Amino acid sequence: MPYQASRRTLLAAAAMAAVTAAGAASAALVASRSPDGPGPRGPAPDDHRPGDARPGGAGAGAPDPAALRAMAARMGLDELVGQLFVSRAYGHSATDPDPADAEQNLALFGVRTAAELVSRYHLGGIVYFGWANNTRTPHQIAELSAGLQRAAAASGPGVPLLLSIDQEHGAVARVGRPATLLPGAMALGSAALGAGGSTAEARRAARIAGSELAAMGIRHDYAPVADVNVDPANPVIGVRSFGSDPRAVAALVAAQVRGYQGAGVAATAKHFPGHGDTGTDSHVGLPLMRHTRAQWEELDEPPFRAAVEAGVDVVMTAHIVFPALDPSGDPATLSRPIVTGILRERLGFRGVVVTDALDMAGVRQKYGDDRVPVLALKAGCDQLLNPPDLGLAHRSVLAAVASGELTRARIEESVLRILELKARRGVFDAARTAAGAGATGGKDGAGRTPAEAVDAVVGIPAHLAAADEIAARTTTLLANPVGLLPIDASSRPRVLVTGTDPVSPTGTTGPPTAVLARELSALGCRATALPPARAVAAAAGNAAVLVCTYNVPEGESPQRELVTQLLSTGVPVVLVAIRNPYDPARLPACAAELATYTWTDVELRAAARVVTGAVRPAGRLPVPVPGRYPLGHGLAYEP
């Protein structure tokens, strides 16, 4: 049943009430638990704010502002415009893609390789995707990055690329094993609200993630998500958000900004002005945000303000209509009142504003693909991410300058912000390293090959152990009325695992039920994974049945029917919500209920440890589960 506007309003009101109810816990999280002092204010000592007098603290050789201005002034207009664009490119190699990827590049861009694409359009950046065959292995990614930087150095103005990726962790990750996979945002929110929790785990996770990306040549991550998720039916944010309490989300966003940028990787607070209470996915439609201005200031603004105060390098706009902030009907990405009036002037943001992907339906419904990039620049955006037709977009911006709709000075303004960001995060140094690797038989300035540089950082034992330590604090025990958990694994109990098996996130072993059964067996249980069609008949004789659920809809559904049938067998049922924690409200009560927030290996491993008592449950709900559990709810085992 679709959510009506009135219901969404009620959810927002309920979330605001929950904020008040959880005030003590939130205040503790924002203040005394923050490793950086009281609240998310002030950049950490190892980070630099956008617009500092001398950006480039990441490398002694980084150009100063005067040199960057001179660099922009020397560029031709087509080179300047190229610096605004961040495009996809197909293939695992900059110069030698597989034939199918070469054909794809030729069809879309008129060139066969990513290197030729960089040269043709003088691109400012490339964004990596798994579906574009950019992210096979960390070693391959590092080689691709180096090849792209060599191509940028050899063409046009010679400005290095800002290589970017969507590596939020949890539900959205482009690089998987053997890289370290960490808990996602809502899981980190659960850990932060738990007893003894703090924002330190979120910052630690971002620092690890950032260091591994940097080793692969990626200096810009589209994370963290700063949206406050107050609608359980939100189809696009959900567990990508830290939670529903704006103060807690603000503290965690600030912590992750400092973690990423302390590792030399630009962080991105997204999706401005807030995508957490929308019932439409902006990939396929144009969401309408119904918050009033007062609700926006209370619910949506705090995490973005905290990100700006923490010195975030980049803010990403949302393709959403927000009438209370701009009644024109334009999506926020194209709204000057929102991008310039609120983000720049009200919040004082001086860094780079990047659009969300311009191939998404949310930004293409009102205007054509030729107008969208021009309007985004007029609104105040700097980087134009992944236009559906790069050639058309590039020509459209050039034409807007020729007609006087845009000026060269306006283009230079954005390019200078982009150059400052590249300098601040060591991209100029990375490009010199890549050029050196090409001139010295594949070794960088430190005498290492790209593979050796990756091996020194990516997926190292210390990072993998840290991921398990962080995940151990995230699993939330929601219900345990008869004391079924923990299950004593030392008695070798038979346990059945079944339920929904969504496609596993990148680089995980999957499917989730098989991973959970494997981990339970490693802890001493005799666990078997079976599909739902066979599980009910096989339930008898097991000490418990663990049923994995995934985004259970309201009303009747196959997942509800499965749980009902399992309960009818008389065998104790443990509900494991492996994505959204809202599932229990849409299902019959079970003997025990858990939320893991993600179905990656690291989270399922943590859940297995909680089920068997190898780890005590410590997570607390960072969102309320309407009709079932309040914000901050979570149980512990008796000592």
Side-chain angles (χ1 to χ4, degrees):
M1 181 177 68
Y3 276 65
Q4 301 299 317
S6 59
R7 176 160 191 178
R8 194 176 297 115
T9 301
L10 287 172
L11 287 168
M16 294 177 72
V19 170
T20 303
S26 297
L29 173 62
V30 175
S32 63
R33 292 181 182 176
S34 171
D36 304 308
R41 299 183 179 274
D46 54 0
D47 299 324
H48 295 258
R49 285 172 176 261
D52 280 348
R54 178 177 171 79
D64 61 24
L68 297 176
R69 287 193 293 271
M71 183 182 297
R74 289 193 300 269
M75 292 186 202
L77 182 60
D78 62 332
E79 295 170 339
L80 276 174
V81 170
Q83 286 297 302
L84 305 176
F85 285 98
V86 180
S87 177
R88 67 199 181 282
Y90 291 83
H92 70 287
S93 166
T95 57
D96 188 26
D98 291 340
D101 290 323
E103 289 302 315
Q104 187 82 312
N105 286 328
L106 186 63
L108 291 173
F109 308 119
V111 298
R112 290 188 174 276
T113 72
E116 292 170 337
L117 182 65
V118 170
S119 178
R120 178 168 183 170
Y121 289 103
H122 315 296
L123 290 176
I126 293 285
V127 55
Y128 290 165
F129 292 106
W131 50 260
N133 295 321
N134 303 140
T135 58
R136 294 181 178 177
T137 69
H139 287 165
Q140 167 267 319
I141 295 168
E143 293 283 1
L144 172 61
S145 299
L148 288 169
Q149 294 294 11
R150 289 193 290 271
S155 65
V159 178
L161 294 158
L162 187 62
L163 301 174
S164 58
I165 198 166
D166 244 344
Q167 187 79 353
E168 298 171 11
H169 287 271
V172 178
R174 312 298 187 202
V175 183
R177 297 167 63 240
T180 305
L181 285 169
L182 293 140
M186 194 170 284
L188 293 172
S190 172
L193 287 176
S198 75
T199 60
E201 300 284 25
R203 179 168 179 167
R204 183 186 185 193
R207 188 84 180 218
I208 291 169
S211 68
E212 296 199 2
L213 290 176
M216 292 179 270
I218 301 168
R219 293 301 180 111
H220 183 193
D221 192 11
Y222 298 123
V225 170
D227 304 314
V228 179
N229 199 81
V230 297
D231 184 355
N234 191 315
V236 67
I237 303 301
V239 295
R240 299 168 62 198
S241 165
F242 290 107
S244 65
D245 181 339
R247 290 176 293 177
V249 173
L252 289 161
V253 166
Q256 287 228 302
V257 165
R258 293 171 179 142
Y260 280 115
Q261 295 183 179
V265 169
T268 305
K270 63 183 187 184
H271 308 78
F272 190 80
H275 210 320
D277 192 13
T278 55
T280 301
D281 183 346
S282 51
H283 292 85
V284 298
L286 180 57
L288 174 64
M289 176 64 93
R290 298 181 182 275
H291 287 183
T292 65
R293 177 68 181 242
Q295 286 176 316
W296 177 79
E297 291 176 358
E298 176 71 21
L299 284 169
D300 304 296
E301 180 186 26
F304 291 101
R305 181 175 291 280
V308 172
E309 292 175 351
V312 70
D313 282 332
V314 183
V315 172
M316 177 181 282
T317 61
H319 304 327
I320 62 172
V321 172
F322 208 134
L325 304 184
D326 179 359
S328 71
D330 287 344
T333 296
L334 310 182
S335 167
R336 187 168 180 82
I338 291 175
V339 177
T340 297
I342 297 178
L343 180 57
R344 294 283 190 207
E345 296 172 2
R346 176 183 169 90
L347 298 185
F349 180 59
R350 291 175 285 163
V352 170
V353 178
V354 63
T355 69
D356 206 343
L358 297 182
D359 62 346
M360 293 166 59
V363 78
R364 303 174 71 190
Q365 292 196 355
K366 189 174 180 181
Y367 302 99
D369 292 336
D370 59 331
R371 294 297 298 157
V372 166
V374 175
L375 295 174
L377 292 171
K378 292 179 72 173
C381 298
D382 301 304
Q383 281 189 320
L384 305 170
L385 176 61
N386 204 32
D389 186 333
L390 176 60
L392 175 64
H394 191 269
R395 292 191 302 272
S396 297
V397 176
L398 288 173
V401 177
S403 71
E405 186 176 10
L406 292 170
T407 65
R408 178 182 171 107
R410 170 66 190 89
I411 303 301
E412 285 193 12
E413 177 186 331
S414 284
V415 170
L416 187 58
R417 289 193 189 104
I418 294 165
L419 293 177
E420 288 173 342
L421 170 57
K422 291 178 178 182
R424 185 164 54 253
R425 292 302 158 215
V427 176
F428 286 91
D429 288 344
R432 282 190 290 271
T433 295
T440 58
K443 292 182 180 287
D444 65 18
R448 302 180 304 185
T449 66
E452 289 169 342
V454 166
D455 289 341
V457 177
V458 178
I460 59 176
H463 286 180
L464 298 174
D468 275 328
E469 291 170 8
I470 295 168
R473 302 193 58 80
T474 64
T475 304
T476 304
L477 179 61
L478 301 172
N480 194 28
V482 297
L484 174 66
L485 301 183
I487 294 172
D488 181 9
S490 65
S491 64
R492 303 269 305 156
R494 285 180 56 196
V495 176
L496 178 63
V497 183
T498 189
T500 303
D501 270 329
V503 175
S504 294
T506 300
T508 57
T509 53
T513 56
V515 174
L516 186 55
R518 182 190 69 210
E519 298 299 336
L520 289 167
S521 295
L523 292 165
C525 297
R526 291 177 291 160
T528 302
L530 289 177
R534 297 170 53 195
V536 175
N542 285 278
V545 176
L546 277 66
V547 57
C548 295
T549 64
Y550 180 95
N551 295 0
V552 176
E554 290 191 330
E556 295 303 317
S557 69
Q559 294 190 74
R560 182 181 179 87
E561 182 180 357
L562 173 63
V563 172
T564 300
Q565 290 178 348
L566 289 171
L567 289 170
S568 71
T569 67
V571 176
V573 175
V574 179
L575 172 65
V576 184
I578 61 174
R579 183 164 178 158
N580 287 346
Y582 308 112
D583 289 357
R586 298 163 182 173
L587 295 168
C590 296
E593 297 174 355
L594 298 168
T596 69
Y597 309 101
T598 317
W599 62 112
T600 55
D601 291 8
V602 70
E603 290 291 1
L604 295 174
R605 187 158 52 245
R609 292 173 178 174
V610 167
V611 166
T612 59
V615 166
R616 291 181 177 274
R620 299 292 182 269
L621 276 175
V623 294
V625 176
R628 188 67 73 92
Y629 303 116
L631 173 69
H633 173 76
L635 305 178
Y637 293 148
E638 294 295 327

